[in-house]
């Protein structure tokens, strides 16, 4: 652990100038640095449950789980920590006022000690694959149980975990419970040395997403579409907007293209690129062309994508035309919208395969195939509606993971209450 602490400190020092430069250039926001360094006050949960979510995707999972925990354990103090600025913005909007919101500490001795001293949780829940060795060691030393919830080990990350298995083994052993999404995720974590008795399979909490609120800009979106179909390009990564626009230009008739970049730091950059390409653009946060004049609608807010999906006919879900691992198609399906993805949805492999099996998702290899699929699917509105209804039914049938996960983790609380003031 001493070696890990030295390496973690060195990594933070080395990355700090890079992170600062990227922030100054508008490439990525820094988030709550004071909180992550343990310099901001932490809320006192006094034996309650601390849930951690990295960014926007995990915040949705955490919100569903926190809602289930609040129903099943009324009066228990609940808190959510986040890593990114975008995640914190979304959490501030969707969480109940009763849930404390704060920054997750860097995995360094000082910040971790201060966080555990002040939060005093009775249980910590880490979402998906967030396993930090020093944090886990210090929580275990204080008798605080930690569970991994909605756990997954992606096809891309699994070889790295196997390579570093000996390094991560002590951290894996300190986790009290692994609540995994699928049987494959469970098999992978067991192959890394986790006892089968610690593993549960409860499905994907992302199916338990709450109903999306009405879209704030719905009236202007409808006026801008002016009767055209709406194609949403969701969670796009750098390079994908150009690819989607290239495919969109080949469509006849052309739908209104609604672009929702994954990272808010790229909103202005994407707007510039679209306008430089000679396309008429309107942004959700600014007045712009409407009444059919605009060709592209840019969603430049965080947390409104689920609401926008309810006005879409078809969606391309990004991070998949580039080697980014893909993003979650479930929000589109919940709104009754079929999905198209690129050749790289590795982070959602099981979901993607199920979508293909049910004919509610289509995978394409490149821009040429994307244009062909978009054209054929938009040409048959009745079939889109039928497939969208099937997608909505599929999501409804797979709900329940949040409640099942809450039941599993609440059983950990009586066995190991938090001990405040333990050595860190």
């Amino acid at each position: 652990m001493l070696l890990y602490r030295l390496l973690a400190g060195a990594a933070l020092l080395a990355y700090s100038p890079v992170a600062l430069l990227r922030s100054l250039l508008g490439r990525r926001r820094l988030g709550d640095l004071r909180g992550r360094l343990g310099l901001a006050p932490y809320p006192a949960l006094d034996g309650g449950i601390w849930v951690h979510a990295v960014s926007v995707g995990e915040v949705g999972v955490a919100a569903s789980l926190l809602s289930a925990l609040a129903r099943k354990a009324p009066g228990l103090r609940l808190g959510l920590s986040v890593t990114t600025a975008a995640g914190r913005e979304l959490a501030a909007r969707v969480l109940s006022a009763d849930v404390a919101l704060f920054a997750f500490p860097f995995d360094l001795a000082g910040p971790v000690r201060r966080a555990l001293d002040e939060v005093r949780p009775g249980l910590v829940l880490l979402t998906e694959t967030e396993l930090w060795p020093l944090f886990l060691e210090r929580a275990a030393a204080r008798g605080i149980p930690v569970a991994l919830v909605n756990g997954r080990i992606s096809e891309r990350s699994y070889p790295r975990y196997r390579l570093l298995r000996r390094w991560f083994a002590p951290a894996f052993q300190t986790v009290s419970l692994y609540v995994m999404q699928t049987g494959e995720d469970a098999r992978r974590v067991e192959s890394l040395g986790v006892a089968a008795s610690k593993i549960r399979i409860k499905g994907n909490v992302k199916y338990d997403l709450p109903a999306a609120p009405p879209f704030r800009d719905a009236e202007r979106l409808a006026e801008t579409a002016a009767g055209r179909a709406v194609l949403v390009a969701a969670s796009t990564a750098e390079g994908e907007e150009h690819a989607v626009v290239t495919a969109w230009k080949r469509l006849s008739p052309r739908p209104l293209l609604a672009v929702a970049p994954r990272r808010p730091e790229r909103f202005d950059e994407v707007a510039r690129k679209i306008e430089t390409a000679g396309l008429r653009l309107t942004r959700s946060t600014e007045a712009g062309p409407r009444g059919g004049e605009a060709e592209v609608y840019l969603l430049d807010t965080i947390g409104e994508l689920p609401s926008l999906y309810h006005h879409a006919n078809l969606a391309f879900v990004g991070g998949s035309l580039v080697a980014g691992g893909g993003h979650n198609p479930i929000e589109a399906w919940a709104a009754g919208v079929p999905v198209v993805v690129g050749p790289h949805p590795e982070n959602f492999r099981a979901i993607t395969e199920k979508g293909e099996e049910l004919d509610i998702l289509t995978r394409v290899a490149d821009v040429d195939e994307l244009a062909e699929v978009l054209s054929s699917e938009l040409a048959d509105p009745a079939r889109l509606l039928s497939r969208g209804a099937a997608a909505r039914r599929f999501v409804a049938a797979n709900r329940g993971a949040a409640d099942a996960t809450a039941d599993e983790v609440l059983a950990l609380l009586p066995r190991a209450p938090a001990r405040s003031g333990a050595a860190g």
Side-chain angles (χ1 to χ4, degrees), residues 111-134:
V112 168
R113 182 182 65 252
R114 294 186 194 105
L116 292 173
D117 280 347
E118 295 184 26
V119 178
R120 300 190 299 278
L123 172 65
V124 177
L125 307 179
L126 305 174
T127 57
E128 303 206 351
T129 53
E130 279 292 289
L131 298 173
W132 293 99
L134 183 65

Side-chain angles (χ1 to χ4, degrees), residues 62-87:
S64 297
L65 186 54
L66 285 162
S67 178
L69 291 168
R71 291 196 310 271
K72 292 173 178 291
L76 191 68
R77 293 189 179 184
L78 303 173
L80 175 68
S81 63
V82 293
T83 300
T84 69

Side-chain angles (χ1 to χ4, degrees), residues 65-285:
L65 186 54
L66 285 162
S67 178
L69 291 168
R71 291 196 310 271
K72 292 173 178 291
L76 191 68
R77 293 189 179 184
L78 303 173
L80 175 68
S81 63
V82 293
T83 300
T84 69
R88 188 174 186 116
E89 288 175 9
L90 177 60
R93 292 221 315 268
V94 302
L95 292 182
S96 162
D98 296 331
V99 178
L101 181 60
F102 55 102
F104 190 78
F106 285 116
D107 206 33
L108 303 172
V112 168
R113 182 182 65 252
R114 294 186 194 105
L116 292 173
D117 280 347
E118 295 184 26
V119 178
R120 300 190 299 278
L123 172 65
V124 177
L125 307 179
L126 305 174
T127 57
E128 303 206 351
T129 53
E130 279 292 289
L131 298 173
W132 293 99
L134 183 65
F135 181 89
L136 292 173
E137 180 195 67
R138 297 306 166 86
R142 295 164 181 256
I144 302 170
V146 177
L148 184 71
V149 295
N150 211 48
R152 68 183 179 96
I153 298 181
S154 71
E155 189 174 348
R156 297 174 67 209
S157 62
Y158 182 53
R160 294 195 294 270
Y161 277 115
R162 284 189 62 83
L163 182 65
L164 300 172
R165 177 178 171 178
R166 290 187 178 181
W167 179 275
F168 280 101
F172 284 141
Q173 297 307 318
T174 62
V175 177
S176 301
L177 185 67
Y178 290 81
V179 186
M180 308 302 288
Q181 295 181 18
T182 68
E184 182 61 28
D185 293 311
R187 285 189 289 273
R188 286 175 177 172
V189 78
E190 186 175 2
S191 75
L192 296 174
V194 174
S197 60
K198 288 185 173 185
I199 303 172
R200 308 286 188 273
I201 304 169
K202 295 297 176 182
N204 193 335
V205 176
K206 289 185 176 179
Y207 287 105
D208 290 296
L209 71 175
F215 185 44
R216 172 191 53 80
D217 204 27
E219 181 179 348
R220 187 159 68 105
L221 178 69
E223 289 185 13
T224 303
R228 291 175 288 175
V230 177
L231 169 64
V232 171
S235 301
T236 51
E238 189 166 359
E240 286 187 313
E241 294 89 11
H242 175 73
V244 171
V245 167
T246 299
W248 170 84
K249 285 182 175 179
R250 301 178 189 177
L251 305 180
S252 181
R254 290 175 182 169
L256 175 66
L257 176 60
V259 179
R262 178 68 174 180
R263 292 194 289 110
E265 296 89 340
R266 299 189 59 243
F267 290 159
D268 291 341
E269 168 197 340
V270 171
R272 285 193 299 271
K273 288 183 177 180
I274 290 171
E275 291 176 327
T276 300
L279 302 178
R280 295 186 298 276
L281 171 73
T282 189
R283 300 177 65 157
S284 65
T285 57

Side-chain angles (χ1 to χ4, degrees), residues 332-338 360 382-396:
W333 290 342
V337 180
I360 58 177
R383 183 168 179 266
L384 276 181
L385 286 173
S386 175
R387 294 169 68 220
R392 192 183 288 111
R393 289 193 298 270
F394 171 65
V395 173

